[in-house]
């Protein structure tokens, strides 16, 4: 059950923070020439950017379908799109962008997946998403030698941050895969940290909850990988395509203003910005993403265009997503999702996977 009273404050806070941050970027970068640039904006490139975002949604739906196939299920495309849009919406209004998981699990369950398999698909996708984004960043920054910033200090910090973040994800993946060996270590760390911020009794109870969550994550990861690791690789490839398409919206918007920024450099800039979004405590990382994007564009487009690009980018990737995802949520909560279930029926085990 999704409470409207609980959602509206989060939506409003997220919208206010986004508008304030975007307004601040416009205020700091706006110049007399900005008006002329805005008036001459080629709206065809706005449509191109919208098309890229919709294509990214489609690639993300393919990713979820691949995860389902890895466990022996055919997830209909509309179900995958619905599930992802519900996740986008709640992630956009919850701190650390983590609120969409439970509703995604329920969406897949309503479509016919067992709860355990649905949770495994969502949890496994979360790991693959962060690993895919981190690996994409490493490829762009180290493989292609791209610089994120003209400032060597900033560029060096980003490079080290990417390495540390990726190493940490790999270490966490190994620990979860070998959870029977790592539970004691994780439990001790969790218990020690929690005791610093609360009473020993509460810390022990919360440590037990962390232990249960770790076991569940490990189970989900193993279910997703299973013996069909090829589908996991397909899901990872779909994620790479999703990020590249989504990140391409910014160069497209810059083109609409007549700029021609270095494509791969602008794409590379967005990797640490999106990774940063997962640790920003505001709803949907609002405020931090706008300021991060503005800082990342400083070296690649004229300053008087930055505010316009950031505003258009958030209009597409945040406001449109919030609008569409919210509509899907209302439709789903009102029970129209039952129609999709009756149309698709339970997701059936495919003959090529049954053996």
């Amino acid at each position: 059950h999704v409470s409207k009273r609980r959602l509206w404050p989060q939506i409003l806070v997220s919208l206010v923070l986004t508008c304030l941050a975007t307004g601040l970027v416009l205020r700091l970068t706006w110049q007399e020439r900005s008006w002329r640039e805005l008036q001459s904006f080629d709206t065809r490139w706005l449509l191109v950017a919208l098309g890229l975002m919709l294509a990214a949604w489609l690639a993300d739906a393919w990713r979820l379908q691949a995860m389902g196939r890895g466990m022996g299920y055919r997830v209909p495309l509309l179900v995958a799109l619905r599930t992802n849009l519900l996740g986008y919406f709640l992630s956009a209004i919850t701190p650390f962008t983590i609120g969409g998981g439970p509703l995604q699990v329920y969406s897949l369950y309503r479509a016919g997946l067992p709860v355990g398999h649905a949770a495994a698909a969502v949890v496994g996708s979360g790991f693959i998403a962060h690993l895919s984004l981190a690996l994409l960043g490493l490829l762009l920054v180290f493989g292609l030698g791209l610089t994120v910033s003209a400032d060597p200090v900033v560029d060096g910090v980003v490079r080290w941050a990417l390495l540390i973040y990726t190493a940490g994800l790999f270490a966490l993946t190994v620990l979860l895969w070998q959870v029977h060996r790592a539970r004691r270590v994780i439990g001790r760390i969790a218990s020690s940290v929690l005791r610093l911020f609360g009473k020993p009794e509460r810390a022990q109870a919360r440590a037990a909850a962390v232990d249960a969550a770790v076991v569940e994550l490990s189970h989900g990861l193993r279910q997703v990988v299973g013996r069909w690791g090829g589908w996991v690789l397909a899901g990872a490839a779909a994620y790479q395509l999703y990020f590249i398409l989504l990140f391409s919206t910014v160069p497209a918007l810059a083109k609409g203003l007549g700029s021609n920024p270095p494509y791969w450099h602008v794409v590379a800039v967005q990797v640490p910005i999106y990774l940063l979004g997962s640790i920003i405590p505001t709803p949907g990382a609002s405020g931090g993403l706008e300021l991060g994007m503005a800082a990342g564009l400083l070296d690649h487009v004229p300053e008087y265009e930055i505010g316009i690009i950031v505003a258009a980018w958030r209009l597409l990737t945040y406001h449109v997503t919030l609008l569409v995802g919210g509509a899907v949520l209302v439709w789903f909560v009102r029970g129209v999702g039952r129609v999709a279930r009756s149309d698709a029926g339970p997701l059936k085990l495919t003959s090529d996977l049954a053996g």
Side-chain angles (χ1 to χ4, degrees):
H1 177 68
V2 180
S3 172
K4 293 180 181 179
R5 292 183 179 180
R6 292 182 60 186
L7 288 181
W8 275 115
Q10 294 174 254
I11 295 171
L12 291 175
V13 169
S14 183
L15 284 171
V16 168
L17 288 174
T18 294
C19 292
L20 286 175
T22 303
L24 179 61
V25 172
L26 285 167
R27 177 72 177 82
L28 294 175
T29 61
W30 196 265
Q31 300 175 16
E32 184 178 348
R33 187 171 176 179
S34 300
W35 280 114
R36 296 197 298 270
E37 293 294 321
L38 182 59
Q39 291 170 351
S40 63
F41 183 79
D42 189 344
T43 54
R44 291 175 297 180
W45 284 103
L46 182 62
L47 295 176
V48 170
L50 176 61
L52 288 167
M53 188 182 72
L54 296 178
W57 290 0
L58 183 60
D60 201 19
W62 292 340
R63 178 269 311 167
L64 188 55
Q65 288 184 300
M67 302 300 284
R69 288 295 298 272
M71 292 182 291
Y73 297 93
R74 287 187 182 273
V75 180
L77 180 61
L78 290 179
V79 170
L81 282 170
R82 179 190 72 191
T83 302
N84 286 339
L85 285 167
L86 291 172
Y88 299 158
F89 175 80
L90 283 186
S91 293
I93 62 171
T94 51
F96 304 105
T97 65
I98 60 173
L103 196 57
Q104 286 180 301
V105 171
Y106 184 61
S107 174
L108 291 174
Y109 167 73
R110 285 284 297 270
L113 250 70
V115 173
H117 287 181
V122 173
V123 170
S125 293
F127 273 102
I128 292 174
H130 284 275
L131 280 172
S132 297
L133 188 56
L135 290 174
L136 177 62
L138 291 179
L139 173 65
L140 294 174
V141 172
F142 292 97
L144 300 181
L146 299 179
T147 55
V148 175
S149 172
D151 187 332
V153 176
V154 175
D155 192 62
V157 169
V158 171
R159 286 170 178 265
W160 275 107
L162 277 173
L163 282 174
I164 294 171
Y165 187 88
T166 307
L169 281 177
F170 273 112
L172 181 60
T173 303
V174 171
L175 286 174
L176 289 174
W177 193 260
Q178 301 290 335
V179 69
H180 59 285
R181 298 178 180 177
R183 282 179 69 179
R184 291 184 179 179
V185 176
I186 297 174
R188 288 173 183 173
I189 294 174
S191 180
S192 299
V193 172
L194 291 170
R195 285 180 180 178
L196 296 175
F197 301 97
K199 297 180 179 180
E201 298 80 11
R202 291 185 178 181
Q204 186 174 0
R206 290 173 180 173
V210 170
D211 180 73
V214 167
V215 173
E216 183 179 351
L217 286 173
S218 175
H219 180 64
L221 187 63
R222 286 181 174 274
Q223 274 192 310
V224 168
V225 175
R227 63 189 180 114
W228 298 103
W231 286 111
V232 175
L233 294 178
Y239 252 136
Q240 297 284 359
L241 179 60
Y242 164 78
F243 286 124
I244 290 174
L245 288 168
L246 192 64
F247 293 167
S248 297
T249 58
V250 176
L253 293 170
K255 282 276 192 179
L257 291 171
S259 291
N260 189 27
Y263 173 77
W264 286 111
H265 284 266
V266 175
V267 170
V269 161
Q270 296 176 72
V271 174
I273 293 172
Y274 271 78
L275 290 176
L276 181 66
S278 63
I279 62 173
I280 295 177
T282 57
S286 299
L289 290 181
E290 293 84 359
L291 297 175
M293 180 63 75
L297 290 175
L298 277 173
D299 300 323
H300 304 297
V301 298
E303 184 176 333
Y304 52 81
E305 294 181 353
I306 290 178
I308 301 172
I309 294 173
V310 170
W313 167 68
R314 282 308 263 171
L315 175 66
L316 284 177
T317 61
Y318 177 77
H319 292 91
V320 171
T321 300
L322 203 64
L323 182 64
V324 176
V328 171
L329 177 62
V330 171
W331 167 74
F332 183 65
V333 170
R334 285 182 177 178
V336 184
R338 287 195 296 268
V339 176
R341 184 180 181 183
S342 62
D343 289 342
L347 302 182
K348 296 179 181 178
L349 194 66
T350 58
S351 58
D352 57 322
L353 297 177

